[in-house]
Short mmCIF file of all heavy atoms in Angstrom, two decimals:
data_model
loop_
_atom_site.label_atom_id
_atom_site.label_comp_id
_atom_site.label_asym_id
_atom_site.label_seq_id
_atom_site.Cartn_x
_atom_site.Cartn_y
_atom_site.Cartn_z
N MET V 1 0.84 -1.20 0.00
CA MET V 1 0.00 0.00 0.00
C MET V 1 0.88 1.25 0.00
O MET V 1 1.67 1.47 0.89
CB MET V 1 -0.87 -0.02 1.26
CG MET V 1 -2.12 0.82 1.10
SD MET V 1 -3.26 0.54 2.44
CE MET V 1 -4.37 1.91 2.14
N THR V 2 0.72 2.00 -1.02
CA THR V 2 1.55 3.21 -1.13
C THR V 2 0.73 4.44 -0.80
O THR V 2 -0.44 4.53 -1.15
CB THR V 2 2.10 3.34 -2.56
OG1 THR V 2 1.02 3.28 -3.48
CG2 THR V 2 3.09 2.25 -2.86
N ARG V 3 1.39 5.30 -0.13
CA ARG V 3 0.71 6.54 0.26
C ARG V 3 1.24 7.71 -0.57
O ARG V 3 2.43 7.96 -0.59
CB ARG V 3 0.94 6.83 1.73
CG ARG V 3 0.14 5.90 2.62
CD ARG V 3 0.25 6.34 4.06
NE ARG V 3 -0.47 5.43 4.95
CZ ARG V 3 -0.50 5.58 6.26
NH1 ARG V 3 0.15 6.58 6.81
NH2 ARG V 3 -1.16 4.74 7.01
N LYS V 4 0.33 8.37 -1.20
CA LYS V 4 0.72 9.55 -1.97
C LYS V 4 -0.12 10.73 -1.50
O LYS V 4 -1.02 11.20 -2.17
CB LYS V 4 0.48 9.33 -3.47
CG LYS V 4 1.67 8.71 -4.18
CD LYS V 4 1.44 8.77 -5.66
CE LYS V 4 2.65 8.22 -6.40
NZ LYS V 4 2.42 8.24 -7.85
N SER V 5 0.17 11.18 -0.34
CA SER V 5 -0.62 12.28 0.21
C SER V 5 0.24 13.52 0.28
O SER V 5 1.10 13.65 1.13
CB SER V 5 -1.15 11.92 1.58
OG SER V 5 -0.08 11.59 2.43
N THR V 6 0.01 14.40 -0.64
CA THR V 6 0.76 15.65 -0.63
C THR V 6 0.12 16.63 0.35
O THR V 6 0.78 17.30 1.10
CB THR V 6 0.81 16.27 -2.03
OG1 THR V 6 -0.53 16.32 -2.54
CG2 THR V 6 1.68 15.44 -2.95
N ALA V 7 -1.19 16.67 0.30
CA ALA V 7 -1.90 17.57 1.19
C ALA V 7 -3.04 16.81 1.85
O ALA V 7 -3.72 15.99 1.23
CB ALA V 7 -2.45 18.75 0.42
N LYS V 8 -3.25 17.12 3.06
CA LYS V 8 -4.34 16.48 3.79
C LYS V 8 -5.67 17.10 3.39
O LYS V 8 -5.78 18.31 3.25
CB LYS V 8 -4.11 16.67 5.29
CG LYS V 8 -5.03 15.83 6.13
CD LYS V 8 -4.73 16.08 7.60
CE LYS V 8 -5.70 15.32 8.47
NZ LYS V 8 -5.49 15.65 9.89
N THR V 9 -6.63 16.26 3.18
CA THR V 9 -7.95 16.75 2.82
C THR V 9 -8.90 16.55 3.97
O THR V 9 -9.07 15.44 4.47
CB THR V 9 -8.48 16.02 1.57
OG1 THR V 9 -7.52 16.15 0.53
CG2 THR V 9 -9.78 16.61 1.11
N ILE V 10 -9.51 17.61 4.35
CA ILE V 10 -10.48 17.52 5.44
C ILE V 10 -11.84 17.94 4.95
O ILE V 10 -12.00 18.41 3.83
CB ILE V 10 -10.07 18.41 6.63
CG1 ILE V 10 -9.94 19.85 6.16
CG2 ILE V 10 -8.79 17.92 7.26
CD1 ILE V 10 -10.17 20.85 7.25
N LYS V 11 -12.79 17.75 5.81
CA LYS V 11 -14.15 18.10 5.44
C LYS V 11 -14.43 19.54 5.88
O LYS V 11 -14.21 19.89 7.04
CB LYS V 11 -15.12 17.14 6.16
CG LYS V 11 -16.39 16.90 5.41
CD LYS V 11 -17.12 15.75 6.07
CE LYS V 11 -18.62 15.92 5.92
NZ LYS V 11 -19.33 14.92 6.73
N CYS V 12 -14.92 20.30 4.96
CA CYS V 12 -15.23 21.69 5.29
C CYS V 12 -16.34 21.73 6.33
O CYS V 12 -17.40 21.14 6.12
CB CYS V 12 -15.66 22.43 4.02
SG CYS V 12 -16.22 24.11 4.36
N PRO V 13 -16.11 22.39 7.44
CA PRO V 13 -17.12 22.43 8.50
C PRO V 13 -18.39 23.15 8.09
O PRO V 13 -19.42 22.99 8.71
CB PRO V 13 -16.42 23.20 9.64
CG PRO V 13 -14.99 23.27 9.28
CD PRO V 13 -14.90 23.15 7.79
N GLN V 14 -18.28 23.94 7.06
CA GLN V 14 -19.42 24.74 6.65
C GLN V 14 -20.28 24.03 5.64
O GLN V 14 -21.47 23.86 5.83
CB GLN V 14 -18.93 26.07 6.07
CG GLN V 14 -20.05 27.03 5.76
CD GLN V 14 -20.91 27.28 6.97
OE1 GLN V 14 -22.11 27.05 6.97
NE2 GLN V 14 -20.29 27.76 8.04
N CYS V 15 -19.68 23.59 4.56
CA CYS V 15 -20.49 23.00 3.50
C CYS V 15 -20.29 21.50 3.40
O CYS V 15 -21.06 20.81 2.75
CB CYS V 15 -20.16 23.67 2.16
SG CYS V 15 -18.50 23.35 1.59
N GLY V 16 -19.25 21.00 4.03
CA GLY V 16 -19.05 19.56 4.03
C GLY V 16 -18.26 19.05 2.85
O GLY V 16 -18.02 17.86 2.73
N LYS V 17 -17.88 19.95 2.00
CA LYS V 17 -17.09 19.54 0.85
C LYS V 17 -15.64 19.32 1.28
O LYS V 17 -15.17 19.92 2.23
CB LYS V 17 -17.14 20.64 -0.22
CG LYS V 17 -18.47 20.70 -0.94
CD LYS V 17 -18.45 21.82 -1.97
CE LYS V 17 -19.82 21.92 -2.64
NZ LYS V 17 -19.88 23.07 -3.57
N PRO V 18 -14.98 18.47 0.55
CA PRO V 18 -13.57 18.23 0.87
C PRO V 18 -12.74 19.48 0.67
O PRO V 18 -12.80 20.12 -0.37
CB PRO V 18 -13.16 17.12 -0.10
CG PRO V 18 -14.19 17.13 -1.18
CD PRO V 18 -15.45 17.63 -0.55
N SER V 19 -12.02 19.81 1.69
CA SER V 19 -11.19 21.01 1.60
C SER V 19 -9.74 20.65 1.86
O SER V 19 -9.43 19.79 2.68
CB SER V 19 -11.71 22.03 2.62
OG SER V 19 -10.68 22.51 3.41
N GLU V 20 -8.88 21.28 1.14
CA GLU V 20 -7.47 20.95 1.22
C GLU V 20 -6.82 21.64 2.40
O GLU V 20 -6.86 22.86 2.52
CB GLU V 20 -6.78 21.37 -0.07
CG GLU V 20 -5.46 20.65 -0.26
CD GLU V 20 -4.90 20.93 -1.64
OE1 GLU V 20 -5.43 20.36 -2.62
OE2 GLU V 20 -3.96 21.71 -1.75
N TRP V 21 -6.26 20.83 3.27
CA TRP V 21 -5.59 21.38 4.44
C TRP V 21 -4.12 21.58 4.12
O TRP V 21 -3.27 20.76 4.38
CB TRP V 21 -5.77 20.41 5.61
CG TRP V 21 -5.18 20.94 6.89
CD1 TRP V 21 -3.88 20.88 7.26
CD2 TRP V 21 -5.86 21.59 7.96
NE1 TRP V 21 -3.73 21.46 8.50
CE2 TRP V 21 -4.92 21.90 8.95
CE3 TRP V 21 -7.21 21.94 8.17
CZ2 TRP V 21 -5.26 22.53 10.13
CZ3 TRP V 21 -7.55 22.56 9.35
CH2 TRP V 21 -6.58 22.86 10.31
N SER V 22 -3.87 22.70 3.51
CA SER V 22 -2.48 23.00 3.16
C SER V 22 -2.19 24.45 3.48
O SER V 22 -3.09 25.23 3.78
CB SER V 22 -2.24 22.72 1.69
OG SER V 22 -3.02 23.61 0.91
N GLN V 23 -0.93 24.78 3.39
CA GLN V 23 -0.57 26.16 3.67
C GLN V 23 -1.07 27.09 2.57
O GLN V 23 -1.14 28.30 2.75
CB GLN V 23 0.95 26.27 3.80
CG GLN V 23 1.45 25.59 5.07
CD GLN V 23 2.91 25.91 5.32
OE1 GLN V 23 3.58 26.40 4.42
NE2 GLN V 23 3.38 25.62 6.51
N ASP V 24 -1.37 26.49 1.44
CA ASP V 24 -1.93 27.29 0.36
C ASP V 24 -3.32 27.78 0.71
O ASP V 24 -3.71 28.88 0.37
CB ASP V 24 -2.01 26.45 -0.91
CG ASP V 24 -0.77 26.68 -1.76
OD1 ASP V 24 0.05 27.52 -1.37
OD2 ASP V 24 -0.62 26.01 -2.78
N ASN V 25 -4.01 26.92 1.41
CA ASN V 25 -5.38 27.25 1.75
C ASN V 25 -5.41 28.10 3.02
O ASN V 25 -5.31 27.59 4.12
CB ASN V 25 -6.17 25.94 1.94
CG ASN V 25 -7.64 26.23 2.13
OD1 ASN V 25 -8.10 27.35 1.98
ND2 ASN V 25 -8.38 25.20 2.48
N SER V 26 -5.55 29.37 2.83
CA SER V 26 -5.56 30.27 3.99
C SER V 26 -6.91 30.26 4.67
O SER V 26 -7.09 30.86 5.71
CB SER V 26 -5.20 31.69 3.55
OG SER V 26 -6.10 32.14 2.56
N ASN V 27 -7.86 29.59 4.04
CA ASN V 27 -9.21 29.57 4.60
C ASN V 27 -9.47 28.29 5.40
O ASN V 27 -10.58 28.04 5.80
CB ASN V 27 -10.24 29.67 3.48
CG ASN V 27 -10.10 30.95 2.71
OD1 ASN V 27 -10.02 32.03 3.28
ND2 ASN V 27 -10.04 30.84 1.40
N ARG V 28 -8.44 27.51 5.57
CA ARG V 28 -8.65 26.27 6.28
C ARG V 28 -9.14 26.55 7.70
O ARG V 28 -8.73 27.55 8.29
CB ARG V 28 -7.36 25.45 6.30
CG ARG V 28 -6.20 26.09 7.04
CD ARG V 28 -4.99 25.19 6.90
NE ARG V 28 -3.92 25.64 7.73
CZ ARG V 28 -2.99 26.54 7.39
NH1 ARG V 28 -3.01 27.05 6.19
NH2 ARG V 28 -2.07 26.90 8.22
N PRO V 29 -9.94 25.75 8.27
CA PRO V 29 -10.34 24.46 7.72
C PRO V 29 -11.45 24.52 6.69
O PRO V 29 -11.99 23.49 6.32
CB PRO V 29 -10.83 23.72 8.97
CG PRO V 29 -11.40 24.78 9.84
CD PRO V 29 -10.57 26.01 9.56
N PHE V 30 -11.79 25.68 6.25
CA PHE V 30 -12.86 25.80 5.28
C PHE V 30 -12.31 25.66 3.87
O PHE V 30 -11.12 25.87 3.64
CB PHE V 30 -13.58 27.13 5.43
CG PHE V 30 -14.11 27.35 6.81
CD1 PHE V 30 -13.44 28.17 7.70
CD2 PHE V 30 -15.25 26.71 7.24
CE1 PHE V 30 -13.90 28.37 8.98
CE2 PHE V 30 -15.71 26.89 8.52
CZ PHE V 30 -15.05 27.71 9.39
N CYS V 31 -13.21 25.34 2.95
CA CYS V 31 -12.77 25.09 1.59
C CYS V 31 -12.57 26.39 0.84
O CYS V 31 -11.79 26.46 -0.10
CB CYS V 31 -13.78 24.20 0.87
SG CYS V 31 -15.38 24.99 0.60
N SER V 32 -13.27 27.40 1.24
CA SER V 32 -13.16 28.66 0.51
C SER V 32 -13.39 29.82 1.47
O SER V 32 -13.81 29.63 2.61
CB SER V 32 -14.20 28.71 -0.62
OG SER V 32 -15.50 28.63 -0.08
N GLU V 33 -13.08 30.99 0.95
CA GLU V 33 -13.27 32.17 1.79
C GLU V 33 -14.75 32.37 2.11
O GLU V 33 -15.12 32.86 3.17
CB GLU V 33 -12.73 33.39 1.06
CG GLU V 33 -12.70 34.63 1.95
CD GLU V 33 -12.18 35.84 1.21
OE1 GLU V 33 -11.82 35.71 0.04
OE2 GLU V 33 -12.16 36.92 1.82
N ARG V 34 -15.56 31.97 1.17
CA ARG V 34 -16.99 32.15 1.35
C ARG V 34 -17.48 31.38 2.57
O ARG V 34 -18.21 31.90 3.42
CB ARG V 34 -17.70 31.66 0.09
CG ARG V 34 -19.16 32.05 0.08
CD ARG V 34 -19.83 31.52 -1.16
NE ARG V 34 -21.27 31.65 -1.08
CZ ARG V 34 -22.10 31.13 -1.96
NH1 ARG V 34 -21.63 30.46 -2.98
NH2 ARG V 34 -23.38 31.28 -1.84
N CYS V 35 -17.04 30.13 2.64
CA CYS V 35 -17.46 29.30 3.76
C CYS V 35 -16.93 29.87 5.07
O CYS V 35 -17.60 29.82 6.09
CB CYS V 35 -16.97 27.86 3.57
SG CYS V 35 -17.98 26.94 2.42
N ARG V 36 -15.75 30.41 4.99
CA ARG V 36 -15.15 30.98 6.19
C ARG V 36 -15.97 32.18 6.67
O ARG V 36 -16.24 32.35 7.85
CB ARG V 36 -13.72 31.41 5.90
CG ARG V 36 -12.93 31.75 7.14
CD ARG V 36 -11.46 31.81 6.81
NE ARG V 36 -11.17 32.86 5.84
CZ ARG V 36 -10.72 34.08 6.19
NH1 ARG V 36 -10.48 34.35 7.43
NH2 ARG V 36 -10.49 34.97 5.29
N MET V 37 -16.36 33.00 5.72
CA MET V 37 -17.12 34.19 6.08
C MET V 37 -18.51 33.81 6.59
O MET V 37 -19.04 34.42 7.50
CB MET V 37 -17.26 35.12 4.87
CG MET V 37 -15.93 35.66 4.38
SD MET V 37 -14.92 36.32 5.71
CE MET V 37 -15.69 37.92 5.92
N ILE V 38 -19.06 32.78 5.99
CA ILE V 38 -20.37 32.32 6.45
C ILE V 38 -20.28 31.88 7.90
O ILE V 38 -21.12 32.20 8.73
CB ILE V 38 -20.88 31.16 5.57
CG1 ILE V 38 -21.25 31.68 4.18
CG2 ILE V 38 -22.07 30.48 6.21
CD1 ILE V 38 -21.61 30.58 3.21
N ASP V 39 -19.20 31.18 8.20
CA ASP V 39 -19.04 30.70 9.56
C ASP V 39 -18.84 31.86 10.52
O ASP V 39 -19.37 31.89 11.62
CB ASP V 39 -17.84 29.76 9.63
CG ASP V 39 -17.83 29.00 10.93
OD1 ASP V 39 -18.70 28.13 11.09
OD2 ASP V 39 -16.98 29.29 11.79
N LEU V 40 -18.07 32.81 10.10
CA LEU V 40 -17.85 33.98 10.95
C LEU V 40 -19.16 34.72 11.19
O LEU V 40 -19.45 35.17 12.29
CB LEU V 40 -16.84 34.92 10.29
CG LEU V 40 -15.38 34.48 10.39
CD1 LEU V 40 -14.51 35.39 9.55
CD2 LEU V 40 -14.93 34.50 11.83
N GLY V 41 -19.95 34.81 10.13
CA GLY V 41 -21.24 35.47 10.27
C GLY V 41 -22.15 34.71 11.20
O GLY V 41 -22.91 35.29 11.98
N ALA V 42 -22.06 33.40 11.12
CA ALA V 42 -22.89 32.58 11.98
C ALA V 42 -22.51 32.78 13.44
O ALA V 42 -23.36 32.79 14.32
CB ALA V 42 -22.76 31.11 11.59
N TRP V 43 -21.21 32.92 13.65
CA TRP V 43 -20.77 33.15 15.03
C TRP V 43 -21.25 34.50 15.52
O TRP V 43 -21.61 34.67 16.68
CB TRP V 43 -19.24 33.09 15.10
CG TRP V 43 -18.74 31.71 15.28
CD1 TRP V 43 -18.24 30.89 14.32
CD2 TRP V 43 -18.71 30.97 16.50
NE1 TRP V 43 -17.89 29.69 14.88
CE2 TRP V 43 -18.16 29.71 16.20
CE3 TRP V 43 -19.10 31.25 17.80
CZ2 TRP V 43 -17.99 28.74 17.17
CZ3 TRP V 43 -18.93 30.27 18.76
CH2 TRP V 43 -18.38 29.03 18.45
N ALA V 44 -21.26 35.47 14.63
CA ALA V 44 -21.68 36.80 15.03
C ALA V 44 -23.17 36.84 15.35
O ALA V 44 -23.61 37.53 16.24
CB ALA V 44 -21.35 37.80 13.94
N SER V 45 -23.91 36.07 14.60
CA SER V 45 -25.34 36.05 14.84
C SER V 45 -25.66 35.14 16.03
O SER V 45 -24.77 34.67 16.73
CB SER V 45 -26.07 35.56 13.59
OG SER V 45 -25.81 34.19 13.40
N GLU V 46 -26.89 34.90 16.21
CA GLU V 46 -27.28 34.11 17.39
C GLU V 46 -27.39 32.63 17.09
O GLU V 46 -27.93 31.87 17.88
CB GLU V 46 -28.62 34.62 17.92
CG GLU V 46 -28.52 36.02 18.52
CD GLU V 46 -29.86 36.48 19.07
OE1 GLU V 46 -30.87 35.86 18.72
OE2 GLU V 46 -29.87 37.44 19.83
N GLU V 47 -26.89 32.28 15.92
CA GLU V 47 -27.00 30.86 15.56
C GLU V 47 -26.18 30.00 16.50
O GLU V 47 -26.60 28.96 16.97
CB GLU V 47 -26.53 30.66 14.12
CG GLU V 47 -26.96 29.32 13.57
CD GLU V 47 -26.71 29.26 12.08
OE1 GLU V 47 -26.81 30.30 11.41
OE2 GLU V 47 -26.39 28.18 11.59
N TYR V 48 -25.00 30.51 16.77
CA TYR V 48 -24.15 29.80 17.71
C TYR V 48 -24.15 30.56 19.03
O TYR V 48 -23.72 31.70 19.09
CB TYR V 48 -22.72 29.71 17.20
CG TYR V 48 -22.56 28.76 16.05
CD1 TYR V 48 -22.59 29.21 14.76
CD2 TYR V 48 -22.36 27.40 16.30
CE1 TYR V 48 -22.45 28.34 13.70
CE2 TYR V 48 -22.21 26.53 15.24
CZ TYR V 48 -22.25 27.00 13.95
OH TYR V 48 -22.10 26.15 12.91
N GLN V 49 -24.62 29.91 20.02
CA GLN V 49 -24.61 30.54 21.32
C GLN V 49 -23.80 29.70 22.28
O GLN V 49 -24.12 28.53 22.52
CB GLN V 49 -26.03 30.70 21.85
CG GLN V 49 -26.68 31.98 21.33
CD GLN V 49 -27.94 32.32 22.10
OE1 GLN V 49 -28.49 31.47 22.79
NE2 GLN V 49 -28.39 33.54 21.98
N ILE V 50 -22.78 30.32 22.79
CA ILE V 50 -21.95 29.61 23.75
C ILE V 50 -22.49 29.85 25.15
O ILE V 50 -22.54 30.99 25.60
CB ILE V 50 -20.49 30.09 23.68
CG1 ILE V 50 -19.99 30.02 22.24
CG2 ILE V 50 -19.62 29.25 24.60
CD1 ILE V 50 -18.62 30.62 22.08
N PRO V 51 -22.91 28.80 25.78
CA PRO V 51 -23.40 28.98 27.15
C PRO V 51 -22.28 29.34 28.10
O PRO V 51 -21.32 28.62 28.27
CB PRO V 51 -24.00 27.60 27.49
CG PRO V 51 -23.32 26.65 26.56
CD PRO V 51 -22.94 27.43 25.34
N VAL V 52 -22.44 30.50 28.69
CA VAL V 52 -21.41 30.96 29.62
C VAL V 52 -21.94 30.80 31.04
O VAL V 52 -22.94 31.39 31.41
CB VAL V 52 -21.05 32.43 29.35
CG1 VAL V 52 -19.97 32.88 30.32
CG2 VAL V 52 -20.59 32.60 27.92
N ASP V 53 -21.26 29.98 31.76
CA ASP V 53 -21.67 29.74 33.14
C ASP V 53 -20.82 30.60 34.07
O ASP V 53 -19.70 30.26 34.39
CB ASP V 53 -21.50 28.26 33.47
CG ASP V 53 -22.55 27.82 34.48
OD1 ASP V 53 -23.15 28.71 35.12
OD2 ASP V 53 -22.75 26.61 34.62
N LYS V 54 -21.40 31.69 34.45
CA LYS V 54 -20.63 32.60 35.29
C LYS V 54 -20.85 32.31 36.77
O LYS V 54 -20.20 32.88 37.62
CB LYS V 54 -21.02 34.05 34.99
CG LYS V 54 -20.48 34.53 33.66
CD LYS V 54 -20.87 35.97 33.42
CE LYS V 54 -20.35 36.45 32.07
NZ LYS V 54 -20.82 37.80 31.77
N SER V 55 -21.82 31.48 37.04
CA SER V 55 -22.15 31.25 38.44
C SER V 55 -21.11 30.36 39.10
O SER V 55 -20.87 30.45 40.30
CB SER V 55 -23.54 30.61 38.54
OG SER V 55 -23.55 29.39 37.84
N GLU V 56 -20.54 29.50 38.33
CA GLU V 56 -19.59 28.57 38.93
C GLU V 56 -18.17 29.00 38.58
O GLU V 56 -17.70 28.76 37.49
CB GLU V 56 -19.85 27.15 38.45
CG GLU V 56 -21.04 26.53 39.16
CD GLU V 56 -21.18 25.07 38.82
OE1 GLU V 56 -21.81 24.76 37.80
OE2 GLU V 56 -20.65 24.25 39.56
N ASP V 57 -17.58 29.65 39.50
CA ASP V 57 -16.22 30.10 39.28
C ASP V 57 -15.21 29.20 39.96
O ASP V 57 -14.05 29.14 39.58
CB ASP V 57 -16.04 31.52 39.81
CG ASP V 57 -16.56 32.54 38.80
OD1 ASP V 57 -16.59 32.20 37.60
OD2 ASP V 57 -16.94 33.63 39.22
N GLU V 58 -15.69 28.52 40.97
CA GLU V 58 -14.76 27.72 41.75
C GLU V 58 -14.40 26.43 41.02
O GLU V 58 -15.21 25.83 40.32
CB GLU V 58 -15.36 27.38 43.11
CG GLU V 58 -16.73 26.74 42.98
CD GLU V 58 -17.33 26.52 44.37
OE1 GLU V 58 -16.99 25.50 44.96
OE2 GLU V 58 -18.12 27.34 44.83
N TYR V 59 -13.22 26.06 41.18
CA TYR V 59 -12.77 24.83 40.54
C TYR V 59 -13.04 23.65 41.47
O TYR V 59 -12.77 23.71 42.66
CB TYR V 59 -11.27 24.88 40.26
CG TYR V 59 -10.87 26.06 39.43
CD1 TYR V 59 -10.30 27.17 40.04
CD2 TYR V 59 -11.05 26.05 38.06
CE1 TYR V 59 -9.92 28.26 39.28
CE2 TYR V 59 -10.67 27.15 37.30
CZ TYR V 59 -10.10 28.25 37.92
OH TYR V 59 -9.73 29.32 37.17
N SER V 60 -13.55 22.63 40.86
CA SER V 60 -13.81 21.43 41.65
C SER V 60 -12.74 20.40 41.34
O SER V 60 -12.64 19.91 40.21
CB SER V 60 -15.20 20.88 41.34
OG SER V 60 -15.25 20.44 40.02
N THR V 61 -11.97 20.13 42.33
CA THR V 61 -10.90 19.16 42.10
C THR V 61 -11.43 17.74 42.20
O THR V 61 -10.86 16.82 41.66
CB THR V 61 -9.78 19.35 43.13
OG1 THR V 61 -10.34 19.27 44.43
CG2 THR V 61 -9.12 20.70 42.95
N GLY V 62 -12.54 17.63 42.93
CA GLY V 62 -13.10 16.29 43.11
C GLY V 62 -12.39 15.52 44.19
O GLY V 62 -12.69 14.36 44.45
N LEU V 63 -11.44 16.18 44.81
CA LEU V 63 -10.71 15.50 45.86
C LEU V 63 -10.44 16.48 47.00
O LEU V 63 -9.76 17.48 46.79
CB LEU V 63 -9.39 14.96 45.31
CG LEU V 63 -8.61 14.05 46.26
CD1 LEU V 63 -9.35 12.74 46.49
CD2 LEU V 63 -7.23 13.78 45.71
N ASP V 64 -10.99 16.19 48.12
CA ASP V 64 -10.79 17.09 49.25
C ASP V 64 -9.56 16.67 50.04
O ASP V 64 -9.07 15.56 49.91
CB ASP V 64 -12.02 17.05 50.18
CG ASP V 64 -13.19 17.75 49.53
OD1 ASP V 64 -12.96 18.67 48.72
OD2 ASP V 64 -14.33 17.37 49.82
N GLU V 65 -9.14 17.60 50.85
CA GLU V 65 -7.95 17.31 51.64
C GLU V 65 -8.20 16.14 52.58
O GLU V 65 -7.33 15.32 52.83
CB GLU V 65 -7.56 18.54 52.45
CG GLU V 65 -6.92 19.63 51.62
CD GLU V 65 -5.45 19.35 51.37
OE1 GLU V 65 -4.86 18.62 52.19
OE2 GLU V 65 -4.90 19.83 50.37
N ASP V 66 -9.42 16.10 53.13
CA ASP V 66 -9.73 15.07 54.11
C ASP V 66 -9.80 13.69 53.47
O ASP V 66 -9.61 12.68 54.13
CB ASP V 66 -11.06 15.37 54.78
CG ASP V 66 -10.95 16.66 55.57
OD1 ASP V 66 -9.82 17.02 55.95
OD2 ASP V 66 -11.99 17.29 55.81
N GLU V 67 -10.09 13.68 52.21
CA GLU V 67 -10.27 12.39 51.56
C GLU V 67 -8.95 11.78 51.11
O GLU V 67 -8.92 10.66 50.63
CB GLU V 67 -11.20 12.55 50.36
CG GLU V 67 -12.64 12.79 50.80
CD GLU V 67 -13.55 12.89 49.61
OE1 GLU V 67 -13.05 12.85 48.48
OE2 GLU V 67 -14.75 12.99 49.82
N ARG V 68 -7.94 12.56 51.22
CA ARG V 68 -6.65 12.02 50.83
C ARG V 68 -6.17 11.03 51.87
O ARG V 68 -6.22 11.28 53.07
CB ARG V 68 -5.61 13.14 50.70
CG ARG V 68 -5.80 13.92 49.42
CD ARG V 68 -4.66 14.88 49.23
NE ARG V 68 -4.94 15.84 48.16
CZ ARG V 68 -4.25 16.95 47.99
NH1 ARG V 68 -3.27 17.26 48.80
NH2 ARG V 68 -4.55 17.76 47.01
N ARG V 69 -5.71 9.93 51.42
CA ARG V 69 -5.25 8.91 52.35
C ARG V 69 -3.73 8.97 52.47
O ARG V 69 -3.02 8.89 51.48
CB ARG V 69 -5.68 7.53 51.86
CG ARG V 69 -7.15 7.33 51.98
CD ARG V 69 -7.53 5.90 51.66
NE ARG V 69 -8.97 5.73 51.73
CZ ARG V 69 -9.58 4.59 51.51
NH1 ARG V 69 -8.87 3.52 51.20
NH2 ARG V 69 -10.89 4.48 51.58
N PHE V 70 -3.35 9.13 53.68
CA PHE V 70 -1.91 9.19 53.93
C PHE V 70 -1.36 7.79 54.14
O PHE V 70 -1.85 7.06 54.97
CB PHE V 70 -1.62 10.04 55.17
CG PHE V 70 -2.11 11.44 55.00
CD1 PHE V 70 -3.30 11.83 55.59
CD2 PHE V 70 -1.38 12.36 54.29
CE1 PHE V 70 -3.75 13.13 55.45
CE2 PHE V 70 -1.83 13.66 54.14
CZ PHE V 70 -3.02 14.05 54.73
N THR V 71 -0.41 7.48 53.37
CA THR V 71 0.20 6.17 53.54
C THR V 71 1.17 6.21 54.72
O THR V 71 1.99 7.12 54.80
CB THR V 71 0.94 5.75 52.28
OG1 THR V 71 1.82 6.81 51.91
CG2 THR V 71 0.00 5.44 51.16
N PRO V 72 1.04 5.26 55.60
CA PRO V 72 1.94 5.24 56.76
C PRO V 72 3.39 5.03 56.34
O PRO V 72 3.70 4.15 55.55
CB PRO V 72 1.42 4.07 57.59
CG PRO V 72 0.63 3.23 56.65
CD PRO V 72 0.11 4.16 55.60
N VAL V 73 4.19 5.86 56.90
CA VAL V 73 5.61 5.78 56.56
C VAL V 73 6.34 5.03 57.66
O VAL V 73 6.21 5.34 58.83
CB VAL V 73 6.21 7.19 56.41
CG1 VAL V 73 7.68 7.09 56.02
CG2 VAL V 73 5.43 7.97 55.37
N ARG V 74 7.07 4.03 57.27
CA ARG V 74 7.82 3.27 58.26
C ARG V 74 9.22 3.85 58.46
O ARG V 74 9.88 4.17 57.49
CB ARG V 74 7.96 1.81 57.83
CG ARG V 74 6.67 1.04 58.03
CD ARG V 74 6.92 -0.41 57.88
NE ARG V 74 5.69 -1.18 58.08
CZ ARG V 74 5.68 -2.50 58.10
NH1 ARG V 74 6.80 -3.17 57.92
NH2 ARG V 74 4.57 -3.14 58.28
N HIS V 75 9.57 3.95 59.68
CA HIS V 75 10.88 4.53 59.95
C HIS V 75 11.94 3.46 59.94
O HIS V 75 11.74 2.38 60.46
CB HIS V 75 10.88 5.24 61.31
CG HIS V 75 9.96 6.43 61.30
ND1 HIS V 75 10.24 7.59 60.65
CD2 HIS V 75 8.75 6.60 61.82
CE1 HIS V 75 9.25 8.42 60.80
NE2 HIS V 75 8.32 7.87 61.50
ZN1 ZN C 1 -16.95 24.88 2.23
#
């Protein structure tokens, strides 16, 4: 099995068409500038809404100090 892959081809997130993932393609991961602009526009509009949870600021480690088990050290 021989591999002849000069450029990686990915799926355009916007239209789903195969798009070339190369340095030539400045619109990657999109196939064209049009798709890129469409995506940018979609982000600007309310189509994509990122839920921002501002109520929970504290980090949950899932492990409290008390729950840590100290291994007995033998002298
Ligand atoms: Zn596209």
